[in-house]
Amino acid sequence: MAGNWKMYKNAGETTAYFDKFVPLVAASAHCDIAICAPFVNLPAAIAATGASRVEVGGQNLYWAKEGAFTGEISGPMLVAIGCKWVIIGHSERRQYFHETDETVLKRTLAALECGLKPIVCVGERLEERESGNTEAVLKTQFDGGIAALTPEQFAKVTIAYEPVWAIGTGKTATPDMAADAHRHIRGLVTAKYGAAAGQQVRILYGGSVKPDNVKGLMAQPEIDGALVGGASLEPASFASIVNF
Ligand code: PEP
């Protein structure tokens, strides 16, 4: 279960959040728990989560280790402060910051190289779903991005299926719609990396997951977890999603 705080909260709010959140999920041993916070809040998040089960991640990284790339943050920088995860290719990055399948691959390779666990996002836009192109879009994103990884590299990747029309809109994909897309992605993985990889890859659903719809989504065997934006910003709300 991963939370994506997007561009919300300051350092003080981060500490206050974890003071409430960590005890609420202390006994939640059924899943990994990660919060991906804005870069400047990562030290506060790491200090506040301490030795708890809650891990911390970035929302992006640049593929070079260091260099003249003003405004960017590298994988080794995230690792050095204690991050374990990183979100890559979120639709907001694809939409507003010109992220492409090619740069998603570069960032994923950079994350893997320094030991970060990448959560790689894929998903179709509304017009692509309405024109019956969901599966084709997912295939293009997979083939043009993470399908270039070696089997050993791919085994460390978590995929997030996030239909763009469901992110931050309050419109959740129905559990059946989400499961269909997950099945398709799993099929792509199986075709490329084999049946064991297809079964083992963790695929999260993201798009307006809330405490009142998480149970239905998680009842689908195809759905391994959730990537949660808005509903991860409040400790009780995200804890009730984690503890669905
Ligand atoms: C997200 O940011 O990845 C996301 C799924 O957002 P929301 O839960 O707010 O739709």
Side-chain angles (χ1 to χ4, degrees), residues 4 6 90 92 162 166-169 206-210 227-231:
N4 172 21
K6 312 190 191 225
H90 191 280
E92 287 152 16
E162 297 211 307
I167 297 177
T169 58
S208 299
V209 176
K210 309 282 178 210
L227 178 54
V228 184

Side-chain angles (χ1 to χ4, degrees), residues 171-218:
K171 289 184 199 158
T172 320
T174 64
D176 285 339
M177 283 160 85
D180 282 349
H182 282 221
R183 205 169 293 115
H184 178 66
I185 294 166
R186 221 173 272 288
L188 297 170
V189 173
T190 300
K192 170 76 193 178
Y193 294 106
Q199 276 173 5
Q200 280 156 21
V201 62
R202 292 195 287 186
I203 309 179
L204 313 181
Y205 168 76
S208 299
V209 176
K210 309 282 178 210
D212 62 3
N213 62 23
V214 65
K215 249 193 176 69
L217 290 159
M218 292 304 297

Side-chain angles (χ1 to χ4, degrees), residues 8-75:
Y8 289 101
K9 296 193 190 294
N10 60 32
E13 291 162 344
T14 299
T15 305
Y17 178 96
F18 286 111
D19 286 350
K20 288 193 182 147
F21 180 69
V22 168
L24 294 174
V25 297
S28 314
H30 60 282
C31 64
D32 291 336
I33 307 166
I35 294 274
C36 298
F39 289 133
V40 292
N41 296 335
L42 293 173
I46 287 154
T49 49
S52 77
R53 300 200 58 255
V54 182
E55 295 184 325
V56 173
Q59 299 172 8
N60 188 24
L61 84 175
Y62 191 64
W63 52 83
K65 288 192 179 78
E66 62 180 7
F69 302 106
T70 301
E72 294 297 324
I73 297 285
S74 73

